[in-house]
Amino acid sequence: ESRYELFIGGKFVAPKSKKYLDSISPRNDEKLSEIAVANRADVDAAYAAAAKAFPAWSKLPGKERGKYLFRIARLLQDRSREFAVAETLDGGKPIKESRDFDLPMAAAHFFYHAGWADKLEYVAAGRTPAPLGVVGQVIPWNFPLLMLAWKIAPALATGNTVVIKPAETTSITALKFASILQDAGLPPGVVNIVTGAGETGAAVVNHPTAAKIAFTGSTEVGKLIQRSLAGSGKKLTLELGGKAANIVFEDAPLDQAVEGIVNGIFFNQGHVCCAGSRLLVQESVAELVVEKLKRRMQVLQVSTLAAYSEK
C-alpha cells in the first residue's frame, strides 16, 4: 500500500492529526509507504472503541474467543509469504529469518493461546482469572509482527481488548495484520492499532482508560513508563534491554558452545533482548574457549555477515 491509515473500531480511518510519516526501507533507503500519525484524539478514539468492545468480548466463552485466535493463526499461515516479504522490506532482516522464524512463530503464538482460551481456570489452582479491561501495548522494531503476536494473542485469549502501537520505523506488518483481523471477523474494537512516534506511545501509555500497559523496548524508556504509572493503579509489564550472558562450564561441549557464542554476537545484532552481551567461562577452560573462538572468527564467512548489515 502507498499509504496506511489507523485501525480503530474495526475500520481503517484517517488520522485526526492529518499527518503521515514515511516508512523507509533500510535495504536501499527508499520510501515504502506512508504511515498515519495518531495524535491524542486518535488514541482517545482507539481506547473508546476498545472500551466499548470489552464487555461483550470479556463475556464471550473462552472456546469462542479461541475460535477467533485460530482463524487469525490460519490466515497468517495462508499469507505468510506476503508478510515475510513485507517484514524484510520494512525492517531489513534477512528474508530467511522473516520466512522461517518470524512468521511461523507469530502464527504459532496465536495457535497456542487459542488453546488456552477455554482452559484459564486451570492456570492457578483455587483462583479464577478475570480479564482486566483495555490493555495498552507498545512494541519495538526488531521483531515487528512476532512482538505483536506476543502481545495481542494472550490479551485476547484472556478476554481483554487492545490498543497497540508498533514502532514508527516498522509499522507496515502491524497494519497489514489489521486486514487479517477483518478477514477473521474479529468484533470491532477488540484490537485497535495506532501508529506514530514517541508522542503517540506516550498517549497510549498514559491514557486513563488503560487497565494495563505492556511495553517492550529500551530500559531507559521503561523507567520513564514505570515512573509515570506509579500510583495510577494500572498493571504494568516491562520487557527491557537484556543482559544475555553466555555461561560456559568445563563439562560443556565446547565446539557447540563456541557456535552459540558466535551466533549470539553476530546474528542477533540489534535484537537486544536475545543478543549475547557477556561471556562467562570457567577458569579451567577459559584459554581453550578463547582459542577456539579465535579460530572460529578467522574462518567466519564475511558474506554471511554482509547479508545482515547490507543496506
Side-chain angles (χ1 to χ4, degrees):
E1 300 285 345
S2 60
R3 172 175 282 188
Y4 287 93
E5 309 289 3
L6 307 174
F7 185 70
I8 297 174
K11 298 178 181 179
F12 288 99
V13 296
K16 293 179 171 63
S17 70
K18 299 181 181 179
K19 295 181 180 179
Y20 294 82
L21 56 84
D22 292 341
S23 191
I24 304 298
S25 174
R27 181 175 67 93
N28 53 16
D29 291 331
E30 289 185 0
K31 177 180 172 180
L32 291 173
S33 185
E34 294 180 349
I35 305 297
V37 175
N39 63 13
R40 190 174 298 276
D42 293 308
V43 173
D44 285 343
Y47 270 103
K52 182 179 179 181
F54 174 71
W57 180 254
S58 62
K59 291 180 175 63
L60 198 65
K63 68 176 183 179
E64 297 302 319
R65 292 198 303 270
K67 289 178 182 178
Y68 287 105
L69 294 172
F70 274 122
R71 287 178 206 154
I72 292 168
R74 290 302 303 272
L75 288 165
L76 268 178
Q77 286 183 324
D78 290 345
R79 295 173 61 184
S80 62
R81 291 177 66 87
E82 171 195 348
F83 272 79
V85 170
E87 196 81 313
T88 287
L89 289 175
D90 197 27
K93 64 174 58 185
I95 187 63
K96 186 177 187 300
E97 186 175 338
S98 299
R99 181 194 64 210
D100 298 344
F101 180 77
D102 290 40
L103 262 297
M105 286 298 292
H109 272 78
F110 280 100
F111 276 124
Y112 174 82
H113 286 96
W116 265 113
D118 64 348
K119 303 174 185 67
L120 298 176
E121 61 186 286
Y122 303 106
V123 170
R127 301 180 65 181
T128 304
L132 294 171
V134 182
V135 179
Q137 304 174 333
V138 179
I139 56 176
W141 54 267
N142 53 352
F143 292 94
L145 188 68
L146 186 52
M147 285 283 185
L148 176 146
W150 288 351
K151 290 287 189 284
I152 291 179
L156 298 193
T158 50
N160 300 285
T161 55
V162 167
V163 175
I164 188 168
K165 189 201 89 71
E168 66 270 24
T169 54
T170 53
S171 297
I172 287 179
T173 48
L175 294 168
K176 288 176 71 68
F177 178 78
S179 66
I180 281 184
L181 300 179
Q182 290 178 322
D183 291 344
L186 191 72
V190 172
V191 172
N192 305 273
I193 303 170
V194 292
T195 47
E199 290 185 6
T200 306
V204 170
V205 166
N206 295 309
H207 201 278
T209 302
K212 176 179 178 174
I213 296 298
F215 171 79
T216 297
S218 71
T219 302
E220 180 182 357
V221 174
K223 289 179 179 178
L224 291 174
I225 292 172
Q226 190 174 37
R227 284 196 291 268
S228 69
L229 298 188
S232 68
K234 295 178 184 177
K235 303 288 186 181
L236 175 62
T237 299
L238 299 172
E239 182 195 4
L240 308 178
K243 276 296 177 188
N246 291 280
I247 304 175
V248 182
F249 291 102
E250 62 183 5
D251 60 347
L254 298 185
D255 290 335
Q256 289 176 251
V258 166
E259 287 302 308
I261 294 164
V262 170
N263 285 337
I265 293 172
F266 289 101
F267 302 137
N268 284 321
Q269 284 189 7
H271 304 333
V272 177
C273 52
C274 58
S277 59
R278 292 175 292 167
L279 175 59
L280 307 177
V281 185
Q282 191 168 351
E283 190 173 358
S284 58
V285 293
E287 290 186 9
L288 180 57
V289 169
V290 170
E291 185 59 36
K292 285 179 176 290
L293 267 174
K294 286 180 180 178
R295 289 202 299 266
R296 181 67 182 90
M297 297 294 289
Q298 288 170 353
V299 298
L300 200 63
Q301 292 282 338
V302 176
S303 59
T304 302
L305 294 179
Y308 284 75
S309 60
E310 182 182 12
K311 291 215 171 181

